[in-house]
Amino acid sequence: RPQDKQLVYYWDVLDENDFGVMQRNGVNDYLQWFLNACLMGDWGYSFDEAVKMMSSSGDEDYEMTGLEPGTKYHVIAVGINSEAYATTDVVSKEFTTMPAVASDNTFRITLSEVGHTDATVTVKTANDDPYFLDISPEGMGEGLSDSEYARYLIDHYTSWGGLSERCHAGDSRVTSAGMDEVLKPGWKYEVVVFGYQDGMITTDVTRIPMETLSGGDPAACGFAFDYTLGAYTYSRFVTTPTDPMAVYISDVIEENAYQQYLSYYGGDPEKAMDEVLKSMIDYYAPDFRSRVETIEVLAQVGTSDFQINLAPDTEYRMWAVCVDQYGNPVAPYVVGEPFRSLKQEPSSAGIELKECRWYDGDELYKADPQTFASARGYAGGDGRRGEGPDRDADYLLLGREYPLRRGAG
């Protein structure tokens, strides 16, 4: 909570090692490492996007998961300018997380009412200690130990607000619908249960296999395509399978790209679309930790409805294909007829520019505190990049190790 509510600042939580490295090398070393190596290097943001994500103003609250129990950490805060260099001294506060909690709880799990898209799980417990329960596609935890997978699930559901539906205490009877989960027909799943309290995993992980009922014959499934085109807004696309239990992936492809794939594969539409499907999965894969999770997000059941922004006056096609839970096609592709997106006509709207002679953020604020309330601390009076080393030397920071990061939030 900054005393100056207009100050632009950066804050983070560092473990003892990272805090010591920052103290030895200076806060600008850490700031530029986080900017270049993490936000721009690991996550691919542009310079302006990265600085914006680092910048905070006013009071800010953040719930952080993944900290180690019984471990010392330091919360730091420092004012920054538009180049992510420090404009104030660093303020820090030390804290130590609670020691690990162990529970002697055990779980006896019974599955019932397993259908095409839902299931019921009954849990009998040895005591009333709190625990976590989820139904996850088989393979979601590939390459992870049980404890690593448990931590991954906690962080995953915390990130989008679905954790509370998966936390219980004592005997329980839980449906997949009660966890806001729509299961996919014919997929293999796991019921995952482990003790969880105050951010810590308190028991071993119990995993029970489960498989939903299969749908119809994928080879007999057809698709109806519909769309509503927008000239200056997103266009809407609706895909409806003839089999409501079919699991499929649907998307839109430019006609020119489709014809290029066809030409490359000698006019064979199945081989061409295999490459289109692979390219789509590969495009989204970096956003998820496993292929199984990628397919879980991309695959649909029932009518799908999505929006994308099309290039103007360009031909496209909709397409769909039934897939298994690893993204492999299990039926022929269905490719719609070509359609053309709308043209964009020049707007008659005008724009008025107001020129300001100042470029120094502090001077702008002095000239007009209301208009330039957020400008303080930005830009340098001499027009240079900032108070730290010049940009040509930034590559020296990329080899430094600061493993704990609060993320791009």
Side-chain angles (χ1 to χ4, degrees):
R1 288 176 168 78
Q3 294 179 350
D4 182 350
K5 302 302 182 183
Q6 305 304 324
L7 176 70
V8 176
Y9 65 95
Y10 171 82
W11 72 270
D12 207 341
V13 177
L14 307 182
D15 63 20
E16 187 74 356
N17 178 71
D18 290 353
F19 185 70
V21 173
M22 185 202 71
Q23 286 185 310
R24 290 193 300 272
N25 298 330
V27 67
N28 280 325
D29 175 275
Y30 176 77
L31 291 172
Q32 294 302 304
W33 170 83
F34 186 65
L35 173 74
N36 289 278
C38 300
L39 296 181
M40 296 174 64
D42 293 347
W43 293 318
Y45 293 109
S46 68
F47 179 81
D48 289 341
E49 290 171 336
V51 173
K52 183 177 180 181
M53 298 190 81
M54 292 177 65
S55 300
S56 299
S57 62
D59 295 347
E60 192 166 297
D61 293 317
Y62 186 83
E63 180 178 343
M64 191 171 191
T65 62
L67 301 179
E68 293 296 325
T71 303
K72 183 187 296 184
Y73 293 95
H74 300 264
V75 183
I76 67 165
V78 59
I80 59 173
N81 62 19
S82 60
E83 304 289 337
Y85 281 97
T87 60
T88 70
D89 293 333
V90 178
V91 176
S92 66
K93 185 172 183 177
E94 176 186 309
F95 70 93
T96 300
T97 53
M98 295 174 60
V101 176
S103 169
D104 58 0
N105 205 1
T106 58
F107 311 98
R108 184 158 55 89
I109 300 169
T110 305
L111 298 173
S112 61
E113 301 173 22
V114 179
H116 293 91
T117 61
D118 53 13
T120 298
V121 181
T122 301
V123 181
K124 296 291 185 180
T125 63
N127 57 46
D128 290 336
D129 290 350
Y131 61 93
F132 173 95
L133 165 66
D134 188 37
I135 302 175
S136 300
E138 181 183 84
M140 280 275 283
E142 182 180 5
L144 300 178
S145 67
D146 279 354
S147 59
E148 289 172 335
Y149 186 38
R151 173 51 58 189
Y152 166 76
L153 290 174
I154 293 298
D155 292 344
H156 170 72
Y157 288 113
T158 299
S159 68
W160 61 267
L163 184 61
S164 61
E165 290 83 1
R166 289 161 178 80
C167 292
H168 308 274
D171 296 345
S172 62
R173 187 173 186 273
V174 182
T175 65
S176 53
M179 294 186 285
D180 292 328
E181 287 196 33
V182 178
L183 308 180
K184 294 181 172 62
W187 278 31
K188 295 179 179 179
Y189 289 87
E190 287 182 322
V191 178
V192 183
V193 183
F194 52 85
Y196 176 71
Q197 183 175 2
D198 296 328
M200 290 174 281
I201 296 159
T202 61
T203 70
D204 291 337
V205 178
T206 300
R207 302 165 79 160
I208 304 296
M210 184 190 81
E211 186 170 357
T212 53
L213 299 180
S214 298
D217 179 10
C221 181
F223 295 92
F225 301 124
D226 193 15
Y227 50 83
T228 303
L229 302 179
Y232 299 96
T233 60
Y234 285 91
S235 296
R236 179 184 177 188
F237 298 91
V238 178
T239 302
T240 305
T242 57
D243 180 355
M245 294 294 106
V247 182
Y248 67 94
I249 291 177
S250 179
D251 201 11
V252 176
I253 183 173
E254 283 192 22
E255 176 68 5
N256 182 54
Y258 177 63
Q259 293 301 329
Q260 289 181 10
Y261 280 117
L262 277 177
S263 176
Y264 184 81
Y265 288 100
D268 186 330
E270 291 298 303
K271 290 184 177 179
M273 290 305 300
D274 276 344
E275 189 62 32
V276 173
L277 176 62
K278 178 181 181 300
S279 297
M280 179 186 182
I281 295 172
D282 289 346
Y283 175 82
Y284 287 103
D287 295 333
F288 307 97
R289 75 152 305 274
S290 68
R291 182 181 179 88
V292 169
E293 185 179 357
T294 306
I295 304 306
E296 162 71 10
V297 173
L298 295 180
Q300 304 291 320
V301 179
T303 298
S304 67
D305 189 331
F306 60 94
Q307 298 183 54
I308 58 176
N309 197 12
L310 303 179
D313 197 23
T314 303
E315 278 198 313
Y316 291 88
R317 291 176 186 258
M318 294 183 67
W319 62 270
V321 64
C322 292
V323 296
D324 62 19
Q325 70 183 93
Y326 302 100
N328 303 308
V330 294
Y333 292 86
V334 177
V335 182
E337 295 297 318
F339 62 90
R340 183 171 291 276
S341 59
L342 301 179
K343 295 182 179 180
Q344 292 182 350
E345 301 295 337
S347 172
S348 60
I351 184 169
E352 180 181 353
L353 298 178
K354 181 179 179 180
E355 182 180 357
C356 298
R357 68 185 183 89
W358 297 103
Y359 58 87
D360 184 288
D362 292 333
E363 296 298 331
L364 286 171
Y365 177 77
K366 291 178 183 178
D368 189 343
Q370 183 173 356
T371 302
F372 300 109
S374 61
R376 297 181 69 183
Y378 280 83
D382 56 4
R384 293 180 301 180
R385 184 169 185 265
E387 298 297 325
D390 59 48
R391 195 164 193 165
D392 293 336
D394 284 349
Y395 72 93
L396 297 174
L397 303 173
L398 300 183
R400 303 205 182 277
E401 292 296 330
Y402 294 93
L404 177 67
R405 304 193 294 268
R406 68 183 168 107

